[in-house]
Amino acid sequence: GLTYDHALSFSPRGDEIAFVSNHELDPDAVNNSDVFGVDLRGQVRQITNTKGCEYEPTWSPDGKWIAYLATRRDVTTIDSVAEDTHVWVSSAGGDDRRDLTSSQDRRARNPRWRPDSRALYFSAGDRGQTLIFEVDVERGKVRPVFGATDQKRTSEVNSEFRGSLDSTSPVA
């Protein structure tokens, strides 16, 4: 086809699939992927419509939200995606979208829902380490939960979560 549909995420009920696709007229020249949904009848709907790129959609366990990674600025070529990705959420209907990690200047990766659908976990680099963070969906409060090895952060993190995800970093 003319588009590259990828990064599939099945809804908890199994009745819809969220995916990423670039529907620009010339997708080889204009890099602008958005999140779409397709139901069991094959009806496709667009969930995001931004000038940046969206990545890695994932349904919340309660089916009310779709989390994804996204950039904020216009992305025009494949070579211009150096901007940090942030964790965003959209209501399943696509009418309520929020950047949950706007306060961070780090590239978020691998968003995963907490089982109660009230928070997301994601990885991001911090001072040469890869940490796991948690962000509250309602308040947007971000906190490290695994990987903080510096003194300032370890007082905020339970001892069982101290350590680094990088094999070359020390585990506290």
Side-chain angles (χ1 to χ4, degrees):
L2 298 176
T3 61
Y4 173 53
D5 303 332
H6 61 286
L8 306 178
S9 177
F10 289 81
S11 70
R13 293 189 324 230
D15 60 347
E16 188 171 20
I17 301 169
F19 63 96
V20 173
S21 188
N22 183 350
H23 285 207
E24 294 292 329
L25 293 176
D26 187 356
D28 291 330
V30 180
N31 187 25
N32 179 15
S33 57
D34 286 297
V35 177
F36 292 81
V38 61
D39 66 20
L40 298 178
R41 296 180 322 270
Q43 296 296 312
V44 176
R45 66 186 179 99
Q46 190 164 358
I47 297 168
T48 65
N49 186 10
T50 68
K51 293 181 180 183
C53 282
E54 282 81 44
Y55 309 93
E56 300 183 50
T58 181
W59 283 89
S60 64
D62 65 9
K64 294 179 181 177
W65 299 98
I66 300 171
Y68 56 94
L69 300 176
T71 58
R72 294 187 121 203
R73 67 181 170 88
D74 296 4
V75 178
T76 56
T77 71
I78 300 297
D79 297 326
S80 65
V81 285
E83 182 185 356
D84 289 343
T85 51
H86 290 227
V87 177
W88 287 68
V89 291
S90 170
S91 62
D95 56 338
D96 179 14
R97 290 187 294 275
R98 291 179 275 146
D99 180 353
L100 296 180
T101 59
S102 61
S103 64
Q104 286 200 308
D105 64 348
R106 289 157 181 75
R107 183 172 290 211
R109 293 281 187 229
N110 307 306
R112 299 293 183 263
W113 284 96
R114 202 168 67 187
D116 65 5
S117 299
R118 293 182 176 184
L120 285 142
Y121 299 107
F122 64 94
S123 61
D126 185 53
R127 300 179 190 162
Q129 304 174 82
T130 300
L131 307 183
I132 298 293
F133 292 88
E134 178 184 70
V135 60
D136 180 274
V137 172
E138 189 174 312
R139 296 184 310 247
K141 183 177 189 284
V142 178
R143 70 179 187 94
V145 293
F146 182 85
T149 59
D150 62 314
Q151 273 306 101
K152 180 180 174 188
R153 289 239 171 93
T154 54
S155 64
E156 302 170 11
V157 179
N158 295 335
S159 62
E160 67 267 22
F161 290 123
R162 291 185 188 142
S164 175
L165 300 178
D166 298 318
S167 61
T168 58
S169 298
V171 176

